[in-house]
Amino acid sequence: MDYTLPPEYRLLQRTIREFVDAEIAPIAAQIDQDDRTPQALIQKMAAAGMFGLPFSTKYGGGGAGEIGYCIMMEEISRASSAIGVILGAHIGIGGGAIYLDASEAQKQQYMPALCRGEKLAAFCLTEPQAGSDAANLRTTATRDGDYWVLNGTKLWASNGSRAEILSVFAANDRGMGARGGITAFIVEKAFGGITVARLEEKMGLHGSDTALLIFDHCRVPRANVIGPVGAGFLTAMKTLDGGRLSLGAAGLGGAQAGLETMVRWSQAAIENGQPIAHRQAIQWMIADTAMEVAALRHMVYSAAWLFDQGKKVSREAAMIKAYATEVGARTVDRAIQVHGRAGLRHGAPVERHFRDERIARIFEGTNEVQRLIIAQETFRQMGYRA
Amino acid sequence: MNILFVVRPYPGWDKFRFNLSTGAVEVPDDTAPGLSAFGEGTWVLNPSDRAALDAALAGRGPGAGGDAAAPHSIAVALAGEDPTIAEAALREALARGADRAWLIGGAADADSYFTASILAAVVRRQPAAEAIDLVVLGAETPAGGPDEIGPMLAEALGWAGITTATTLAWAPDGAGLLRAEQRGPGGPRTVQAAGPAVVSVAANPALPPRYAHGGAVIAAYRQRTVETLALATLGLAGAGAERSAPRVVVRRAALADSPPNERLTGPIDESVAVLLPALRALRGTE
């Protein structure tokens, strides 16, 4: 077994790191302070092929697959979790729903512009009463001739204000719920009837816009239904499954960055005449972090490899999402502890990472939900029913 | 217009050393294997050669006939004992915009002079329709020293040679006229060459950075081909004994056309115009 990354992925890792170090890291603090990602940066990322990296070259994507996507998410998130979320929402879920389940004609129509980064995508599932209870949708889809008319409210849509293409899930039959009652749609903002009612002011991830969208008689052509009518919940769950792997990679990037800052700080900070790195308590925090990051790295890339081989990775994706986000939480907490009072200063990278990290245990399925998935998949694999 | 980029591999490890006895690059034993977080364990394009590639691709303009077609670029590298090392540099050149990649085999011990001879043979073998118009390489070797191959190659081909250029562009007012900004002891200056040229390029921080497209990186390994050329196809087979013999000859001679003890004090251009014919005449008396 060869665990070495193939040469194309090592070159990809280096070239993306070069971009991140030159274009993202220097302005990450400013993005956080302004709560705004410059459009110029989005354009540079598009020119570097980032928005289509894992998608097939048939649609103008980079053909890098899940391993390449994870590498990119790790490298980006080392510098800025907010930029990682912009990419993840576009590729993993907004564009992911189209890539996974749309028809060939729909992919030919929408994927090229998404791959070039000309248009961003967003994923619209969550509603005020439908978070973990994702099937309890109240946004309705009503058939009107050759159109479906959408009415309702979607919350917490990452990229919701920037995106021009939305993957929207709505109830075509509220009585049927997840089995036959939810349909997935490709919705262009240009169709009209969509209002960005509010941008959330969040604790972290400043620079990644999170929108409340109101759909008011939004007319969507029949041709924009993804898959069969009523099969949308399955599309949503499959999409979130795929998105969790890259979320784990993003968590890995943040944890790796946390480990590196802990090491550098501990070597530079002098207490009682010597670097605090000489203290056992500090070394243990670094050792615990290093162990967890190493384990997480192998989890992420082995699961990404399985995904690229066409294997089902639901249990692995759930494990990675839960583990990565909890490793991230422990890492940022230890990083603050190692930095001491300096880590609490507004504008310090560890302070930003601390605020950015918290959402990770909540979005794309809370870690509690992930544990349900893991348990059910574990029972099933061992031949039991949950 | 066809551009030949000379690319050389550079060790991509954060820590490494050159073995001065063998010339080999040695990587520390504790380099993390497998899934490294630091992108170690790769050979990359010599940063100076990469700057040359970026400068040439950034400045490429109309072809020699004034048409709007972008020049065709070919990256070339000499394979050492392990050809995968040079191949890695070529793959990166493909990822960063080169159209083709050639790997010259059988040149493991080539020094600067023999390398220049090989490259001259590469240029000369091209059919007229695919003639190379410009050779570009970095002004610094992977070991950090000044490039010697560029001037030797220019001399071997009888082409104009421009060293330490920081920008390249095709002059808009002259078909095929190459204009370069050159870094010199007196400050930057602009030079131009009407015919084919060999240009060594120094890194220019003022140029906007160029980044490899992610899809191009993947394609460089999975879809693009590195073509291999043997020394025999360049007419250099059997040159092994020749290239292992020392080619540095020390001579003492006077410049025949200069009066004894004359000091040339005029502008550099005039001094060069006096010295060059004398040096060429001297070489003709070997």
Side-chain angles (χ1 to χ4, degrees):
Chain A
M1 294 166 72
D2 183 355
Y3 284 122
T4 309
L5 275 180
E8 63 267 34
Y9 287 127
R10 281 183 282 164
L11 180 58
L12 184 70
Q13 187 179 41
R14 294 191 77 93
T15 54
I16 293 176
R17 180 172 293 207
E18 175 191 300
F19 181 94
V20 169
D21 287 347
E23 301 289 347
I24 298 179
I27 63 171
Q30 196 63 47
I31 289 172
D32 180 66
Q33 186 173 319
D34 297 342
D35 196 1
R36 187 186 151 271
T37 297
Q39 184 61 22
L41 176 60
I42 300 293
Q43 289 166 345
K44 286 181 186 176
M45 291 167 63
M50 291 185 176
F51 288 101
L53 186 67
F55 297 130
S56 169
T57 54
K58 188 163 74 160
Y59 309 113
E66 193 68 18
I67 294 178
Y69 182 28
C70 287
I71 288 171
M72 179 173 69
M73 289 298 281
E74 181 189 347
E75 292 299 320
I76 297 275
S77 301
R78 283 176 68 244
S80 170
S81 299
I83 305 297
V85 167
I86 291 176
L87 273 174
H90 170 83
I91 295 174
I93 48 178
I98 300 171
Y99 191 66
L100 278 175
D101 272 353
S103 67
E104 187 58 31
Q106 289 170 332
K107 288 181 199 177
Q108 292 288 348
Q109 181 178 357
Y110 288 104
M111 289 307 301
L114 293 176
C115 287
R116 287 191 298 268
E118 286 171 12
K119 297 185 179 182
L120 291 193
F123 186 81
C124 300
L125 176 65
T126 301
E127 296 180 9
Q129 75 298 330
S132 293
D133 185 10
N136 186 20
L137 299 182
R138 290 190 185 158
T139 297
T140 55
T142 308
R143 182 73 177 272
D144 179 17
D146 286 336
Y147 290 86
W148 288 86
V149 181
L150 305 187
N151 283 288
T153 304
K154 293 292 182 187
L155 298 179
W156 298 99
S158 297
N159 293 350
S161 77
R162 270 195 143 109
E164 294 174 59
I165 308 293
L166 311 173
S167 295
V168 181
F169 301 84
N172 55 285
D173 186 332
R174 289 203 64 216
M176 295 183 73
R179 294 171 192 252
I182 294 174
T183 299
F185 298 90
I186 304 173
V187 179
E188 297 178 36
K189 283 239 185 104
F191 292 161
I194 304 171
T195 306
V196 178
R198 186 175 77 224
L199 293 181
E200 300 292 345
E201 291 182 17
K202 310 180 299 290
M203 172 177 145
L205 293 183
H206 296 169
S208 159
D209 68 90
T210 315
L212 187 156
L213 299 171
I214 296 177
F215 294 80
D216 183 5
H217 292 83
C218 172
R219 297 178 68 81
V220 180
R222 272 177 58 190
N224 279 38
V225 171
I226 299 176
V229 171
F233 190 72
L234 193 58
T235 296
M237 294 302 104
K238 276 166 60 177
T239 305
L240 289 171
D241 240 11
R244 282 176 197 135
L245 261 181
S246 55
L247 190 57
L252 172 61
Q256 179 69 36
L259 174 62
E260 291 172 18
T261 61
M262 287 163 68
V263 169
R264 281 195 285 269
W265 182 268
S266 66
Q267 294 287 345
I270 308 292
E271 295 280 346
N272 301 117
Q274 56 184 314
I276 61 173
H278 292 198
R279 302 297 178 197
Q280 195 174 49
I282 301 295
Q283 290 177 11
W284 283 357
M285 283 193 269
I286 289 172
D288 287 342
T289 305
M291 280 193 289
E292 291 183 322
V293 169
L296 180 57
R297 180 173 301 287
H298 283 274
M299 281 177 79
V300 166
Y301 287 104
S302 64
W305 181 85
L306 284 170
F307 187 96
D308 283 340
Q309 304 305 310
K311 308 295 184 190
K312 186 169 184 278
V313 293
S314 299
R315 190 181 75 139
E316 288 77 7
M319 287 176 164
I320 286 165
K321 196 274 180 178
Y323 188 62
T325 53
E326 289 167 14
V327 165
R330 290 192 287 272
T331 301
V332 293
D333 191 63
R334 289 184 199 121
I336 296 271
Q337 196 68 17
V338 168
H339 281 71
R341 57 191 179 276
L344 300 173
R345 189 171 291 127
H346 188 60
V350 289
E351 181 266 342
R352 171 164 51 86
H353 283 294
F354 188 85
R355 286 185 286 107
D356 285 348
E357 185 284 326
R358 190 58 188 87
I359 183 68
R361 282 168 278 162
I362 297 172
F363 68 5
E364 292 208 29
T366 63
N367 285 14
E368 289 76 20
V369 169
Q370 303 311 312
R371 283 174 163 83
L372 292 178
I373 298 171
I374 295 165
Q376 286 166 15
E377 286 291 322
T378 303
F379 288 142
R380 189 185 62 76
Q381 286 185 7
M382 294 185 68
Y384 294 98
R385 286 178 173 274
Chain B
M1 168 167 289
N2 294 308
I3 307 175
L4 189 71
F5 291 106
V6 180
V7 302
R8 291 161 284 195
Y10 181 86
W13 290 262
D14 289 334
K15 288 181 235 161
F16 60 89
R17 56 179 179 265
F18 287 104
N19 185 316
L20 295 178
S21 304
T22 64
V25 171
E26 293 176 357
V27 180
D29 290 337
D30 60 354
T31 298
L35 293 174
S36 167
F38 302 103
E40 294 183 326
T42 56
W43 287 87
V44 299
L45 190 50
N46 177 30
S48 187
D49 295 333
R50 182 193 149 179
L53 191 151
D54 285 349
L57 293 181
R60 61 185 177 179
D67 60 74
H72 192 70
S73 55
I74 305 161
V76 65
L78 270 60
E81 288 197 17
D82 181 355
T84 62
I85 293 174
E87 186 179 334
L90 286 173
R91 296 278 180 193
E92 185 172 344
L94 287 170
R96 293 191 185 278
D99 297 308
R100 291 173 74 178
W102 293 344
L103 181 66
I104 314 293
D109 298 323
D111 60 10
S112 299
Y113 179 80
F114 190 52
T115 301
S117 305
I118 294 171
L119 294 171
V122 168
V123 172
R124 289 191 196 106
R125 80 182 270 271
Q126 288 297 94
E130 298 170 21
I132 303 293
D133 306 288
L134 175 67
V135 179
V136 179
L137 70 170
E140 263 188 35
T141 67
D147 170 67
E148 300 171 335
I149 296 170
M152 290 182 187
L153 178 57
E155 182 62 23
L157 293 170
W159 288 7
I162 302 174
T163 56
T164 59
T166 51
T167 62
L168 289 178
W170 278 257
D173 52 352
L177 194 67
L178 178 69
R179 188 172 288 162
E181 281 187 14
Q182 189 183 39
R183 192 172 63 193
R189 62 181 184 178
T190 302
V191 297
Q192 58 189 35
V198 178
V199 182
S200 69
V201 178
N204 183 358
L207 281 180
R210 292 179 70 251
Y211 301 105
H213 188 282
V217 170
I218 301 298
Y221 276 89
R222 295 187 184 169
Q223 291 163 27
R224 310 290 294 282
T225 306
V226 171
E227 302 162 56
T228 51
L229 300 173
L231 289 185
T233 62
L234 302 173
L236 294 171
E242 217 178 282
R243 65 183 143 118
S244 64
R247 282 182 296 282
V248 176
V249 176
V250 179
R251 294 190 305 272
R252 291 169 60 92
L255 295 172
D257 290 339
S258 307
N261 299 320
E262 182 182 354
R263 177 184 288 245
L264 299 173
T265 57
I268 284 183
D269 295 350
E270 291 179 11
S271 301
V272 168
V274 169
L275 286 169
L276 261 183
L279 287 168
R280 288 195 175 118
L282 185 67
R283 197 175 69 173
T285 63
E286 289 175 18

